[in-house]
Amino acid sequence: MAEPKENLQMEKIVSLCKRRGFIFQSSEIYGGINGFWDYGPLGAELKRNVKELWWHAMTRQRDDVAGLEATIIMSPKIWEASGHVDTFSDPMVDCKGCKKRFRADQIEPQTGIVYHFSGAYDGSKFNPLLNQYPPEFRDAVKSQVLEFADDYKKQTDPSEEIVNALKARALKFKAEFKQDNCPPLTELHKEYSEAIQNKCDNANSVLLLPGKPAESARKTAMQFYQQRGINTPNLLDERTEKLEAPTTCFCNECQSELTEPKPFTLMFKTYVGPVNVSALDYKPDIDPKKLEEWFKAFNEGEKNIAYLRPETAQAIFAQFKNVLETSRQKVPFGIAQVGKAFRNEVTPRNFTFRSREFEQMELEFFIKPDEVVEAICGNVATLSDSQPSTLNPQSNWGWQAWHQYWVEERERFYEGIGLSRETLGVHHQTANELAHYARACTDILFKFPFSKKDEHGNVAGDELEGIAARSDFDLSQHQRFSGKPMGVFDDELRAAWGKLPKEKQDDLRKRYYNHRKNYLTKSAKTSEEVDAALKQADEDANGLAKGQYIPHVIEPSAGVDRLILALIANAYSEVTSTDDKGKSETIYMMKFHPRVAPIKAGVFPLLKNKPELVKKAQEVRDLLRPWMNVYYDEGGSIGKRYARQDEAGTPFCVTIDFDTLGEKPELLDTVTIRYRDDGRQERLKTSELLAFLLSKIR
Ligand code: ATP
């Protein structure tokens, strides 16, 4: 299950990304900044294409989705309502040995023998004395000194009699060992007593993995004490414990003990408006007289706190009513947004996969609660009912069918930009993984080069996108925190409700009431709050008869950067060819789907020193340019120009040669089009070129 230390494929991809201008480290000239990445010329085009395609598929090609572009910094109340202020954190553990920090849920279970130590004392003076004894006597000498010291320690004020007795014992011991040249035991005892008084009392445990020598556990423990100022650690009270079951309490890298998990907030804080900078910068040596002033300024600053949004979705909920009123949409409908999100990830890793600044493409698709669907349609489609028609939304779809629909839509989207089903995976979140308000969440995964293998060698993949059925939690929270109604009025529901038999009304009302009650009472702490919550649930349930309800939501939430990385990893291919002389050469090719390819066509005159060829080629370039990104290149041999475009992932190259100019009259105004993936070439009329390319890239 462990991640290979060096992932060759990833190394090649990272290096190609830099070499060809897809992705650079942010602030590289200053040594970079962890978790931040810049997109170079080809990367910027690739990213733009992906976002455009998503936007097209999710909004322009649908009647039921409207777009939004909200600010990155919003009222901090939004993040209180969404729960991010209280709960958006990762449980982190620190390794007590190597000091590295890990996400608690990413620690791999390990087994073995645990070595416990109660502390260590500095043996830098004691050990050289002990080492003057022949090796075979050292253990005995040491235990004698320790015992001697223990006896001595027991006496808070040892009488002369005891001191003499101990001295006699030491002499006897020395006589027994007949080691006249060795330092006297009293000297060892003196050094030991001094060292033990300044010992480090921190207990430490280290896991010894199967097959490793015990010494390696002791060495790791010694490093722990060295970091705590004990130069030559002599470990104390060693005790071992064989583990019955695998544990996640030890570092996967050095096997030292891990700390208890602590939550680390993932939100970036900032301040809006003028802030007294000195208030943010507390210094421990602050003049006590100025402390009150500092607190005042600090509190002023805290009032102006704002957050960089950790997701784009919340703006959609906050603007739900405005969009509804201005777009003439009716539930079911969606609001889509693409934009930056920021998370102060504790361990950014796997290139751009886990970054601190990234982009999301999120849709909130608002649907009727199942009780409302049932009131209007008489039934709610079950998953098996809806399956044959998942392409065509039906009015009797409840949350399950809509959820399934969006999972399939999104899978189709990925396939449509070149990620085949074999490269993708899905993960249906288990009850334990789901947020308390969510009914289901399906993650679409991509098999990245760094994705882990399970015990059967299968790769599940890592998350590209999550599609969550989030009930009416988000709108309800914003209604509660803002005091503004987030419900909708639905004519169809009001008309249908009046025609329902009483028992049906009661049944639907009860189910809706229970759902609202569960949500509303969750945050109620006092008995008054519980009463108010029950009253509100009752009112909400009565709303059904008036055609009122709070919409539920299905949220397909995708990351742009992860998708770019997936497209790059998927496109990367190497071809090694050997010439007649046995010399082999490896060339790289990015096999992007034409829809996402940063450059759609390379346009080349066969020779750059023939003005008539150059002129014609530039005409072709100008013909295509308004419609797509083309790259005009007249430098080097045609083969070199093809190779450059192959590395950039350009799917088509168009060459203008003498036949284009009519050298062979039947080929006048035709061009050669060369396909990247198989090197095939064919002739096409210049007048048909644009339509041909558009059919491939759209
Ligand atoms: P993970 O479990 O991997 O941290 P998540 O479940 O927290 O992801 P969501 O909050 O559902 O992610 O965000 C939606 C999408 O945003 C993710 O599927 C992913 O594509 C993208 N995303 C989330 N965090 C990051 C990040 N740190 N860097 C890049 N993309 C991210």
Side-chain angles (χ1 to χ4, degrees):
M1 293 284 279
E3 202 175 313
K5 271 227 162 72
E6 282 171 341
N7 188 320
L8 196 60
Q9 184 74 352
M10 272 314 287
E11 273 177 28
K12 287 181 183 172
I13 288 172
V14 173
S15 130
L16 178 116
C17 280
K18 180 172 155 90
R19 200 174 66 245
R20 286 308 319 241
F22 282 99
I23 301 172
F24 306 128
Q25 202 181 10
S26 164
S27 324
E28 196 189 84
I29 58 167
Y30 292 103
I33 168 164
N34 200 7
F36 296 87
W37 301 95
D38 293 341
Y39 288 80
L42 290 177
E45 287 290 339
L46 178 62
K47 207 174 182 195
R48 199 165 277 266
N49 291 342
V50 164
K51 290 190 284 183
E52 288 264 311
L53 284 162
W54 185 90
W55 189 258
H56 242 279
M58 300 301 256
T59 66
R60 294 191 187 146
Q61 285 175 7
R62 305 183 63 102
D63 291 329
D64 57 0
V65 177
L68 179 74
E69 180 136 350
T71 56
I72 285 171
I73 293 179
M74 299 184 279
S75 164
K77 291 265 178 250
I78 287 190
W79 306 113
E80 282 172 35
S82 67
H84 283 81
V85 169
D86 285 340
T87 60
F88 195 54
S89 55
D90 273 344
M92 303 303 297
V93 287
D94 289 318
C95 173
K96 292 183 184 174
C98 65
K99 302 274 184 223
K100 287 195 185 152
R101 182 164 285 170
F102 306 94
R103 252 173 68 174
D105 55 340
Q106 286 171 350
I107 300 293
E108 299 283 350
Q110 301 173 103
T111 179
I113 298 170
V114 183
Y115 277 67
H116 300 282
F117 304 95
S118 69
Y121 65 92
D122 191 351
S124 41
K125 290 193 180 149
F126 176 79
N127 292 2
L129 293 177
L130 180 67
N131 290 344
Q132 290 178 37
Y133 282 83
E136 64 271 28
F137 296 147
R138 282 179 202 159
D139 279 349
V141 172
K142 194 170 170 188
S143 61
Q144 183 68 23
V145 172
L146 263 57
E147 199 183 317
F148 185 45
D150 276 351
D151 283 355
Y152 196 87
K153 247 193 319 191
K154 279 180 209 144
Q155 312 299 319
T156 44
D157 182 16
S159 62
E160 203 176 326
E161 191 187 343
I162 288 215
V163 173
N164 288 338
L166 291 172
K167 275 188 186 160
R169 221 167 113 181
L171 282 174
K172 182 166 168 274
F173 177 79
K174 209 173 151 192
E176 265 172 30
F177 283 86
K178 298 192 177 54
Q179 295 297 323
D180 287 340
N181 300 335
C182 294
L185 275 193
T186 43
E187 205 177 311
L188 266 83
H189 170 250
K190 179 176 158 279
E191 293 305 345
Y192 173 78
S193 307
E194 265 173 32
I196 204 85
Q197 269 171 32
N198 299 315
K199 74 180 192 299
C200 172
D201 277 331
N202 295 1
N204 182 234
S205 304
V206 175
L207 180 67
L208 182 72
L209 296 176
K212 294 258 178 162
E215 248 345 277
S216 70
R218 295 187 188 114
K219 210 169 144 202
T220 308
M222 280 159 75
Q223 280 159 3
F224 169 87
Y225 291 108
Q226 271 164 347
Q227 284 162 3
R228 282 152 188 83
I230 305 290
N231 291 335
T232 309
N234 282 11
L235 301 167
L236 288 166
D237 305 324
E238 179 177 307
R239 180 169 65 80
T240 57
E241 177 197 356
K242 182 156 176 16
L243 286 182
E244 298 298 330
T247 170
T248 52
C249 295
F250 295 91
C251 176
N252 287 148
E253 293 186 13
C254 76
Q255 280 69 48
S256 284
E257 208 179 3
L258 297 168
T259 58
E260 285 292 311
K262 274 198 226 113
F264 277 78
T265 180
L266 293 172
M267 284 210 287
F268 279 101
K269 257 188 198 177
T270 185
Y271 295 85
V272 172
V275 175
N276 180 349
V277 187
S278 63
L280 307 179
D281 195 14
Y282 174 80
K283 295 191 186 64
D285 58 353
I286 191 166
D287 177 355
K289 286 185 211 123
K290 292 200 172 150
L291 207 55
E292 201 177 323
E293 207 181 300
W294 180 87
F295 267 122
K296 210 168 139 228
F298 180 79
N299 286 335
E300 277 307 306
E302 290 297 286
K303 276 191 220 150
N304 295 334
I305 273 188
Y307 302 96
L308 302 192
R309 66 181 179 199
E311 61 173 38
T312 61
Q314 291 306 319
I316 298 181
F317 297 120
Q319 292 292 6
F320 168 71
K321 276 313 218 23
N322 278 335
V323 177
L324 180 71
E325 279 154 23
T326 52
S327 63
R328 302 187 63 233
Q329 292 284 358
K330 272 179 156 179
V331 177
F333 83 102
I335 305 177
Q337 179 167 221
V338 177
K340 290 272 186 184
F342 303 81
R343 294 184 189 177
N344 199 3
E345 299 279 0
V346 185
T347 44
R349 71 204 145 85
N350 290 333
F351 201 18
T352 55
F353 182 85
R354 191 170 296 286
S355 309
R356 289 180 164 144
E357 175 175 339
F358 56 98
E359 279 191 89
Q360 289 184 312
M361 306 184 286
E362 295 196 294
L363 170 72
E364 299 304 328
F365 195 81
F366 299 98
I367 57 172
K368 296 174 182 168
D370 280 8
E371 294 80 13
V372 172
V373 174
E374 199 171 328
I376 296 172
C377 302
N379 72 324
V380 177
T382 63
L383 258 192
S384 52
D385 292 341
S386 60
Q387 233 138 41
S389 56
T390 33
L391 276 177
N392 294 314
Q394 307 292 316
S395 54
N396 70 343
W397 278 9
W399 73 265
Q400 276 186 307
W402 274 115
H403 181 247
Q404 177 72 15
Y405 166 82
W406 278 112
V407 172
E408 291 183 15
E409 274 293 290
R410 300 300 306 141
E411 284 175 333
R412 275 193 285 274
F413 173 82
Y414 290 120
E415 276 187 292
I417 56 173
L419 300 182
S420 66
R421 292 260 166 169
E422 298 77 67
T423 64
L424 300 174
V426 284
H427 169 66
H428 302 287
Q429 288 193 9
T430 59
N432 283 348
E433 293 170 291
L434 280 178
H436 67 87
Y437 48 82
R439 292 181 162 172
C441 185
T442 302
D443 294 335
I444 299 183
L445 318 173
F446 176 78
K447 295 169 188 167
F448 287 96
F450 50 76
S451 294
K452 289 174 186 166
K453 286 190 178 144
D454 67 14
E455 57 275 25
H456 308 294
N458 301 321
V459 179
D462 286 278
E463 180 181 329
L464 274 186
E465 165 161 2
I467 297 132
R470 297 174 62 90
S471 75
D472 54 4
F473 176 78
D474 305 274
L475 287 180
S476 301
Q477 284 288 97
H478 287 296
Q479 172 166 296
R480 197 153 72 79
F481 278 72
S482 69
K484 304 281 181 334
M486 287 288 165
V488 296
F489 169 70
D490 190 327
D491 250 347
E492 237 187 321
L493 169 63
R494 195 173 56 169
W497 192 267
K499 294 182 196 146
L500 290 176
K502 170 91 173 55
E503 315 80 74
K504 188 76 184 169
Q505 285 180 349
D506 288 348
D507 171 43
L508 293 175
R509 192 190 173 286
K510 192 167 156 208
R511 273 151 52 191
Y512 192 71
Y513 169 83
N514 282 338
H515 168 70
R516 295 299 299 160
K517 185 186 83 177
N518 285 347
Y519 163 72
L520 290 160
T521 51
K522 223 179 180 87
S523 53
K525 294 196 178 65
T526 62
S527 62
E528 288 82 27
E529 283 171 350
V530 172
D531 289 347
L534 295 176
K535 193 161 159 257
Q536 183 63 51
D538 203 48
E539 269 175 38
D540 290 352
N542 290 341
L544 290 180
K546 299 178 210 155
Q548 290 164 352
Y549 59 86
I550 295 186
H552 284 223
V553 76
I554 306 291
E555 178 191 79
S557 168
V560 181
D561 308 75
R562 287 192 187 175
L563 178 50
I564 298 294
L565 187 57
L567 290 169
I568 290 177
N570 187 59
Y572 182 88
S573 51
E574 291 175 8
V575 185
T576 304
S577 54
T578 312
D579 66 14
D580 303 345
K581 294 180 192 121
K583 195 176 159 220
S584 65
E585 190 195 15
T586 301
I587 53 161
Y588 305 94
M589 194 182 279
M590 297 301 281
K591 292 191 173 175
F592 290 121
H593 189 287
R595 286 205 182 104
V596 295
I599 302 168
K600 307 299 183 192
V603 179
F604 315 145
L606 184 63
L607 299 169
K608 77 169 174 188
N609 54 3
K610 295 285 174 211
E612 56 287 25
L613 286 179
V614 169
K615 183 166 171 283
K616 190 71 191 166
Q618 286 175 347
E619 275 171 32
V620 170
R621 175 198 65 190
D622 295 344
L623 166 83
L624 301 177
R625 217 174 220 179
W627 302 92
M628 65 194 73
N629 190 28
V630 293
Y631 192 87
Y632 175 81
D633 191 359
E634 51 182 37
S637 70
I638 278 286
K640 282 234 167 69
R641 284 182 261 170
Y642 283 153
R644 276 202 287 269
Q645 291 308 313
D646 287 346
E647 271 203 4
T650 308
F652 309 104
C653 287
V654 178
T655 306
I656 285 76
D657 56 18
F658 292 105
D659 287 338
T660 316
L661 304 177
E663 197 167 277
K664 283 199 196 104
E666 69 278 16
L667 295 181
L668 177 69
D669 268 332
T670 61
V671 291
T672 304
I673 184 143
R674 183 243 185 202
Y675 296 83
R676 173 198 61 205
D677 295 348
D678 54 10
R680 194 160 45 91
Q681 300 193 4
E682 58 191 25
R683 282 207 86 91
L684 208 69
K685 284 190 184 148
T686 320
S687 57
E688 288 167 5
L689 182 62
L690 177 62
F692 168 82
L693 290 175
L694 286 178
S695 74
K696 300 284 180 197
I697 65 173
R698 287 201 166 158

